[in-house]
Amino acid sequence: MFVMMATPLRRVSSLLSGTISCLRGLNISSHGARKVMVATANTNYFKTLPCAASFHTSTRHLGLMDFFDDKKNWGEQEVKVGRAWKLDELRIKSNEDLHKLWYVLLKEKNMLLTMEHACKEEYRLFPNPERIDKVEESMKNLEDVVRERNRAYWLLETGETGERPGARVKDELGRVVYKKSIEHLVPIWMHKKSKENIHRGAAVRRFQRHMREKRSIENRRYRRRIRNHVCGLLRRFPNANLEAIQEQFPEVDVGIQRLAKRTRGNHRNIA
């Protein structure tokens, strides 16, 4: 047993001796905090190179301070900020710049949401809450620019937009919505259970009835609001161009509303 284990032990000792001899030949410079070692000639097995530059876009923090605003803005009633990024400004930037800007905006959004939550917990005023809206608007514009470039690329290469197709379908409550096509393991015509229960039931029918009533009330209010606006224009400007008003507000019959009582008022008579 001792004889069988001797050979592996000799191999391990030889490997250790070779490693130690190689380590003795290392030539590591003392200057520089972080170094990278690469293989060189036989005499000097490794040499040192300066470390790569940092890829951080801001100062490096070991804690969670990146999720909070600058300390000089704590307790302030107003923080001066700029406007959101416009589409024209983003279209002239390269893909690399857009990629970097996306993560800068994402980091800023996380910080603002954290500060908003912290102010609510402390019952304090969150200064300039519109900063969140500006960041979200910038991110939306950036997504639109990237989508434009993807569409242009796929149209040039394949003649198609490259986006996932979709259609207007009915959801579980019977509402007509637009949904993008997704891949299913089982075709829709084989989902017998879901196909039988969809758009059915007393609760679903009651919901659809209320939705139709709500849309009818909203449309009636919209038509009444437009009609009153046209009557107000005719009352204030009796010599206005009726054709131009009719073209701007096709939902209202300007000829009939011109003779209405709400247009004439109580002190004028129009022949």
Side-chain angles (χ1 to χ4, degrees):
M1 190 66 160
F2 177 76
V3 177
M4 295 176 62
M5 294 180 60
T7 303
L9 290 176
R10 291 194 190 97
R11 294 177 180 176
V12 173
S13 61
S14 62
L15 290 174
L16 289 175
S17 61
T19 305
I20 293 173
S21 62
C22 292
L23 291 175
R24 290 175 179 174
L26 293 179
N27 183 15
I28 302 177
S29 177
S30 59
H31 63 277
R34 298 172 57 189
K35 300 296 180 179
V36 179
M37 295 184 296
V38 296
T40 57
N42 295 330
T43 55
N44 295 330
Y45 292 94
F46 300 94
K47 75 175 183 178
T48 58
L49 293 177
C51 62
S54 177
F55 291 97
H56 292 279
T57 58
S58 62
T59 57
R60 183 168 176 263
H61 296 288
L62 299 178
L64 299 176
M65 293 307 298
D66 279 348
F67 287 95
F68 296 92
D69 199 359
D70 193 357
K71 289 186 177 181
K72 65 181 181 181
N73 296 329
W74 291 6
E76 295 291 336
Q77 298 295 327
E78 183 179 0
V79 179
K80 295 183 179 180
V81 294
R83 56 171 175 79
W85 286 86
K86 296 182 179 180
L87 287 172
D88 297 336
E89 297 173 345
L90 296 173
R91 288 192 179 104
I92 61 177
K93 290 187 173 295
S94 63
N95 293 334
E96 184 179 358
D97 293 339
L98 293 180
H99 188 80
K100 295 178 181 179
L101 180 58
W102 173 263
Y103 283 100
V104 172
L105 294 173
L106 182 61
K107 182 179 178 181
E108 184 72 13
K109 182 180 178 181
N110 291 336
M111 183 273 294
L112 293 175
L113 293 177
T114 304
M115 292 298 299
E116 183 182 27
H117 178 74
C119 291
K120 288 181 179 179
E121 291 291 330
E122 297 293 334
Y123 298 100
R124 294 185 179 181
L125 178 64
F126 176 60
N128 297 90
E130 67 275 4
R131 289 183 290 174
I132 300 178
D133 300 333
K134 293 180 180 180
V135 172
E136 291 179 349
E137 181 182 356
S138 301
M139 297 178 72
K140 179 182 178 301
N141 293 339
L142 196 151
E143 286 183 340
D144 293 340
V145 172
V146 173
R147 188 176 295 107
E148 289 177 359
R149 296 185 181 183
N150 289 337
R151 286 171 58 89
Y153 173 79
W154 285 104
L155 286 173
L156 181 62
E157 294 292 332
T158 63
E160 299 178 356
T161 60
E163 295 184 352
R164 188 169 52 181
R168 299 183 65 85
V169 296
K170 290 185 176 181
D171 60 357
E172 293 78 5
L173 298 176
R175 299 172 298 181
V176 179
V177 296
Y178 180 83
K179 288 187 177 181
K180 292 186 177 181
S181 302
I182 58 177
E183 185 177 359
H184 294 277
L185 297 177
V186 181
I188 187 62
W189 57 269
M190 295 182 62
H191 287 273
K192 297 182 179 179
K193 185 176 180 180
S194 60
K195 190 175 181 180
E196 292 175 357
N197 298 331
I198 194 170
H199 314 324
R200 297 184 181 182
V204 175
R205 290 193 297 270
R206 183 169 60 254
F207 174 80
Q208 293 176 358
R209 184 171 64 253
H210 291 333
M211 286 296 297
R212 289 193 298 268
E213 181 181 1
K214 180 181 178 182
R215 285 195 296 266
S216 177
I217 294 174
E218 290 178 352
N219 293 335
R220 187 164 60 250
R221 289 177 177 174
Y222 171 76
R223 291 194 301 268
R224 186 187 302 116
R225 185 166 61 251
I226 296 298
R227 183 195 62 190
N228 294 337
H229 179 65
V230 171
C231 292
L233 290 177
L234 295 175
R235 184 169 59 252
R236 287 179 294 174
F237 308 102
N239 298 325
N241 189 354
L242 301 182
E243 296 181 356
I245 297 177
Q246 183 66 59
E247 183 179 358
Q248 185 176 0
F249 304 99
E251 304 90 349
V252 182
D253 191 344
V254 179
I256 295 177
Q257 298 302 326
R258 182 173 178 272
L259 303 176
K261 183 178 179 180
R262 60 178 60 89
T263 302
R264 298 196 309 267
N266 298 324
H267 60 281
R268 293 195 58 176
N269 292 322
I270 301 178

